[in-house]
Amino acid sequence: MDWPESIKVYSQFVHPALMWLLLAMCIYAMYTGLQWRRTRSASGDLKKTLLKGKFKLKHHDIGAAVLSLMVVGCIAGMAVTYVNNQKLFVGPHLIAGLGMTGLIAMAASLTPLMQKGVEWARIAHIALNTVIVGLFGWQAVSGIDILQRIIGRMG
């Protein structure tokens, strides 16, 4: 299919915009998750105060959105690259993005075990998501380089 040039050009900016939003959402998800962990171990007035923050519900809601958007963002990034170049550029940015997508699925799959109180699942969930946020930071930097090359080709 031959896409209109305006769609091909401007679609290249949807993935980076979505990913920067997603990075912020990941950081917020990490915050709410850590606050929920803190709530579970707190007692007395501190626990009452933390429970008012509804961190468990917020963490589950933002986590579900992050999972969905990461999968869609990964697929969209590859689709836009393919539409504009008739190929994918297999390099560190793509491999890290695919890895992050797999890791987030693994982290989310631990939820039933965490709900049963399995501590190793909680630790693995935290570790996987910490790796994802670290990779995401690197993705943001490498993505800016890619975006600059795209903008350079436009001018």
Side-chain angles (χ1 to χ4, degrees):
M1 175 177 187
D2 196 23
W3 294 83
E5 196 60 31
S6 60
I7 290 176
K8 287 175 69 173
V9 169
Y10 293 109
S11 67
Q12 297 175 97
F13 299 100
V14 173
H15 175 75
L18 176 63
M19 293 298 104
W20 277 97
L21 172 66
L22 191 53
L23 176 57
M25 291 172 68
C26 282
I27 292 167
Y28 181 69
M30 183 177 270
Y31 168 77
T32 59
L34 292 173
Q35 291 303 313
W36 173 238
R37 185 171 178 84
R38 189 172 158 225
T39 302
R40 281 194 335 275
S41 62
S43 59
D45 289 338
L46 177 58
K47 186 163 190 149
K48 288 178 187 175
T49 301
L50 289 169
L51 282 169
K52 290 177 185 174
K54 298 182 181 181
F55 293 112
K56 180 180 181 180
L57 178 62
K58 289 176 182 177
H59 184 67
H60 281 272
D61 288 348
I62 196 77
V66 165
L67 172 62
S68 298
L69 288 174
M70 187 168 293
V71 171
V72 169
C74 181
I75 293 167
M78 290 186 298
V80 167
T81 299
Y82 188 80
V83 164
N84 281 283
N85 303 285
Q86 290 71 53
K87 66 179 180 175
L88 292 178
F89 299 102
V90 179
H93 189 83
L94 175 62
I95 301 302
L98 290 170
M100 289 166 52
T101 304
L103 291 174
I104 201 165
M106 291 169 57
S109 75
L110 295 168
T111 301
L113 291 172
M114 291 185 298
Q115 289 172 334
K116 292 177 184 174
V118 178
E119 189 60 23
W120 71 259
R122 288 186 175 125
I123 293 167
H125 179 81
I126 292 166
L128 288 167
N129 284 307
T130 300
V131 169
I132 290 166
V133 171
L135 284 171
F136 220 144
W138 179 82
Q139 285 288 87
V141 172
S142 66
I144 289 172
D145 182 53
I146 294 167
L147 195 56
Q148 287 173 333
R149 282 187 266 142
I150 291 169
I151 292 168
R153 285 193 309 246
M154 291 172 67

